Amino acid sequence: RSGATMIAIRCLLSSLFFTLLIPAQSALGQDAVPTTKTSAAPAKTPTQLAALVALRAGDQYFENGQVDEAIVEFKDAERFDPSSADPHLRLAAAYLSKYVPGDPSKTNIEVAELADSEYRDVLSLDAQNLSAIDGLGMLNFQMSGQPFDSERYLKAKDFFKKHTLLKPTDPE
């Protein structure tokens, strides 16, 4: 199936799920639904629900070692909900997993640049996101290896320092 068809199917399924879930909860009555929060979470839009579906599918692919398929799903999630950091973060991690330290090939460098770009997108949405800061530190550290690149090494060091400044009691 084409990408557009899959997107349409996801939107339809998410809308259907959302449409069926709310009336089912209402039919049970307010007391029948246990809750620990005093205020309800904002309702998700159909596109946000489609993004969640894509994220879950991407997570499954990633856990099964199907990184290329995971990347497709994470890209879909980004299209559905571009203001969420989660798709960017997962996509960056998927790209980082494909990066091979020390491999100077053009493809490998492009994968590293894609990971870098996604991590920076996360930071543009949440400047204190420790996962993105750590990811950029790790990526720059790995890229500083063979041959040694002192500029990359110093960038990595700066990202790790930033983590320490934001969360000084973190054991990592």
Side-chain angles (χ1 to χ4, degrees):
R1 295 184 182 166
S2 73
T5 303
M6 292 305 294
I7 290 170
I9 290 170
R10 275 202 198 108
C11 282
L12 180 62
L13 289 174
S14 296
S15 296
L16 182 61
F17 174 76
F18 187 66
T19 304
L20 294 175
L21 178 66
I22 300 305
Q25 287 179 341
S26 298
L28 293 173
Q30 190 67 16
D31 296 334
V33 180
T35 178
T36 56
K37 295 181 180 178
T38 56
S39 64
K44 302 264 189 222
T45 66
T47 54
Q48 289 172 322
L49 290 173
L52 289 174
V53 170
L55 282 175
R56 288 186 184 130
D59 289 342
Q60 283 298 120
Y61 281 126
F62 193 77
E63 288 173 14
N64 293 329
Q66 297 170 290
V67 178
D68 292 332
E69 291 83 354
I71 287 171
V72 170
E73 295 296 334
F74 296 147
K75 284 181 178 179
D76 282 349
E78 273 186 343
R79 277 197 303 276
F80 288 129
D81 195 2
S83 64
S84 173
D86 289 338
H88 295 283
L89 193 57
R90 287 182 170 104
L91 188 53
Y95 286 134
L96 182 60
S97 75
K98 291 183 69 146
Y99 175 70
V100 180
D103 176 2
S105 71
K106 181 180 178 185
T107 304
N108 196 48
I109 300 303
E110 287 172 355
V111 166
E113 289 170 353
L114 289 168
D116 183 270
S117 175
E118 292 298 330
Y119 281 128
R120 290 184 189 282
D121 286 347
V122 172
L123 292 178
S124 73
L125 296 167
D126 177 6
Q128 296 185 359
N129 187 298
L130 293 178
S131 295
I133 291 167
D134 292 345
L136 282 165
M138 178 67 69
L139 178 63
N140 279 283
F141 181 75
Q142 289 179 350
M143 293 182 79
S144 71
Q146 300 169 352
F148 181 70
D149 182 342
S150 62
E151 184 178 322
R152 287 271 186 197
Y153 179 79
L154 293 174
K155 281 183 184 179
K157 190 174 172 182
D158 288 342
F159 282 113
F160 294 137
K161 279 183 185 177
K162 185 174 182 177
H163 178 123
T164 304
L165 291 172
L166 289 172
K167 195 167 182 186
T169 59
D170 194 350
E172 293 181 22

